[in-house]
């Protein structure tokens, strides 16, 4: 396992092909403020033309997707239009359907509905996601662009948490105000669904570690039936090496507490290479299948490896350490 590149917090921007409302300008503005060398954010944008496309992007985010941002044209009845220039048809997504897509959006910390009349969808999605931002009534596209640009400009060098998201929201609404003339155009709902949290305390970023090293940390808001794992990410080999943080290390029904597990990083002989480590929370639906794969793998070889993390996993604490 060799040195790997640092993972970033991903923004998934879902845009419609609606002409003449400035969606491309909003995308360029976000690309500009998140593209710096010190930015902790990475933008992935997709244009959608059907309900099926938007469903897949929301229900199956990558493990490092932290923000889902939807930009398009909202109608007074709360629907979003999805024009398709290839067949001249227009799909429409109702607020209730859009909210339903977010039931399984594991790991997403914030949803932004940057289109007109999205307040009803905002309230419904807040039943599933910790923080949701939307628009009350009509908004000019120039105001929407200014909100996005200043929201992400504040967050670009920060680790996402609710405090920083709140500050970014304040800056975004202040920038949009000269064009909206109303401080209540944007709404933000928070705290309706506490999200799982997990932290590595040791080893710290940049530590020199022995073989094995003791990996320990804390967790909060763990769903009953979910599981916790430590991992070594070796992208050059195309593998994630996982170790289960066993239920013997924490109470079965605990939602908050501390954990620890021995983590084997690299070969037995010190090689002075850098390795990237982190921890995962795996949701209750994915946990049984992953544990079954884990048990079977350990019967055949002394480690468990995956080519990629499955859906239903949420990554935390990613950092680089060096084998001493």
């Amino acid at each position: 396992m060799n040195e790997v590149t640092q993972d970033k917090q991903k923004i998934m921007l879902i845009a419609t092909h609606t002409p003449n409302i400035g969606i491309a300008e909003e995308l360029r503005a976000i690309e500009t403020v998140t593209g710096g060398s010190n930015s902790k954010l990475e933008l992935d944008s997709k244009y959608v033309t059907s309900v099926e496309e938007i469903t897949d992007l929301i229900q199956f985010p990558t493990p490092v997707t932290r923000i889902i941002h939807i930009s398009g044209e909202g109608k007074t009845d709360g629907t979003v239009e999805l024009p398709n220039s290839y067949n001249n048809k227009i799909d429409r997504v109702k607020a209730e359907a859009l909210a339903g897509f977010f039931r399984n959006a594991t790991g997403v910390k914030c949803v932004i509905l940057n289109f007109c009349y999205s307040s009803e969808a905002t309230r419904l999605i807040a039943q599933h996601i910790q923080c949701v931002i939307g628009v009350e009534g009509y908004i000019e596209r120039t105001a929407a662009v200014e909100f996005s640009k200043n929201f992400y400009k504040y967050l670009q060098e920060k680790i996402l948490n609710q405090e920083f998201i709140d500050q970014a929201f304040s800056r975004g609404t202040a920038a949009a105000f000269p064009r909206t003339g109303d401080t209540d155009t944007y709404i933000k709902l928070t705290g309706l669904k506490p999200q799982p949290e997990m932290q590595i305390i040791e080893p710290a970023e940049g530590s020199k570690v022995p073989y094995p090293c003791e990996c320990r940390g804390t967790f909060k808001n763990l769903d009953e039936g979910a599981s916790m794992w430590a991992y070594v990410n070796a992208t050059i080999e195309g593998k994630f090496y996982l170790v289960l943080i066993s239920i013997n290390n924490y109470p079965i029904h605990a939602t908050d507490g501390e954990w620890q597990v021995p983590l084997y990083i690299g070969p037995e002989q010190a090689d002075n290479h850098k390795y990237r480590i982190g921890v995962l929370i795996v949701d209750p639906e994915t946990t049984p299948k992953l544990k079954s794969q884990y048990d079977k793998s350990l019967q055949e070889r002394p480690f468990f490896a995956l080519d990629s993390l499955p859906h239903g996993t949420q990554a935390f604490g990613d950092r680089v350490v060096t084998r001493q």
Side-chain angles (χ1 to χ4, degrees):
M1 291 177 285
N2 299 306
E3 183 175 1
V4 298
T5 57
Q6 183 171 359
D7 290 331
K8 293 192 176 185
Q9 304 162 116
K10 180 171 287 188
I11 306 161
M12 170 55 71
L13 191 150
I14 302 171
T16 67
H17 283 286
T18 309
N20 304 320
I21 66 169
I23 292 177
E25 287 81 357
E26 182 180 8
L27 174 57
R28 285 194 294 270
I30 299 173
E31 286 176 335
T32 299
V33 298
T34 60
S37 58
N38 294 326
S39 177
K40 296 182 183 298
L41 300 175
E42 179 181 51
L43 179 64
D44 187 5
S45 60
K46 303 287 185 182
Y47 280 91
V48 295
T49 59
S50 68
V51 175
E52 290 75 19
E53 288 178 315
I54 197 170
T55 302
D56 288 345
L57 290 172
I58 294 173
Q59 289 192 322
F60 303 107
T62 70
V64 293
T65 297
R66 295 293 177 257
I67 297 176
I68 292 181
H69 181 126
I70 302 178
S71 183
E73 183 175 8
K75 296 300 183 179
T76 55
D77 62 357
T79 60
V80 185
E81 287 196 344
L82 306 175
N84 189 332
S85 60
Y86 299 107
N87 57 20
N88 295 319
K89 292 184 179 180
I90 296 179
D91 270 355
R92 290 179 174 84
V93 184
K94 294 182 178 181
E96 295 84 355
L98 187 61
F101 301 157
F102 283 94
R103 288 194 182 100
N104 299 313
T106 304
V108 175
K109 289 181 174 291
C110 181
V111 171
I112 300 175
L113 306 178
N114 205 13
F115 54 85
C116 301
Y117 309 107
S118 59
S119 57
E120 180 63 18
T122 299
R123 295 183 179 94
L124 293 172
I125 293 171
Q127 298 174 29
H128 311 296
I129 301 296
Q130 184 179 15
C131 178
V132 188
I133 295 168
V135 176
E136 192 79 68
Y138 172 79
I139 188 171
E140 290 186 357
R141 202 64 207 167
T142 53
V145 172
E146 287 300 312
F147 174 86
S148 292
K149 180 170 67 176
N150 287 274
F151 179 86
Y152 291 114
K153 184 176 182 180
Y154 180 78
L155 289 178
Q156 63 178 327
E157 297 181 8
K158 295 177 174 61
I159 297 296
L160 292 179
N161 61 34
Q162 193 57 56
E163 179 183 355
F164 289 147
I165 291 173
D166 291 345
Q167 291 295 323
F169 178 80
S170 295
R171 284 159 173 78
T173 53
F177 176 74
R179 293 169 174 82
T180 63
D182 188 348
T183 57
D184 296 325
T185 298
Y186 278 96
I187 60 174
K188 173 170 59 67
L189 300 181
T190 59
L192 299 184
K193 182 176 185 273
Q195 294 295 297
E197 299 177 19
M198 200 165 182
Q199 179 184 11
I200 296 178
I201 297 174
E202 292 181 355
E205 174 79 25
S207 296
K208 293 184 177 180
V209 297
Y211 181 90
C213 73
E214 194 67 23
C215 193
R216 67 182 184 90
T218 62
F219 65 96
K220 293 179 64 177
N221 304 322
L222 186 69
D223 290 335
E224 184 172 345
S227 58
M228 303 190 296
W229 305 70
Y231 71 83
V232 180
N233 181 359
T235 56
I236 291 178
E237 295 180 14
K239 299 289 184 183
F240 286 85
Y241 293 85
L242 275 65
V243 175
L244 176 65
I245 301 173
S246 168
I247 59 173
N248 296 325
N249 297 98
Y250 56 93
I252 295 176
H253 299 295
T255 61
D256 297 25
E258 299 181 352
W259 57 269
Q260 63 180 25
V261 68
L263 189 59
Y264 296 83
I265 303 173
E268 293 187 36
Q269 300 299 319
D271 55 12
N272 294 316
H273 285 172
K274 294 181 178 180
Y275 297 86
R276 186 163 292 280
I277 65 172
V279 289
L280 300 174
I281 290 179
V282 181
D283 67 25
E285 291 75 21
T286 309
T287 285
K289 181 178 179 180
L290 191 61
K291 282 186 175 179
S292 176
Q293 292 176 314
Y294 178 70
D295 293 339
K296 181 178 179 180
S297 176
L298 293 185
Q299 294 175 6
E300 301 172 355
R301 52 193 177 185
F303 59 86
F304 179 52
L306 295 174
D307 293 334
S308 62
L309 298 178
H311 296 299
T313 63
Q314 188 173 354
F316 298 86
D318 186 78
R319 61 191 55 184
V320 172
V321 297
T322 304
R323 273 298 311 282
Q324 67 178 9

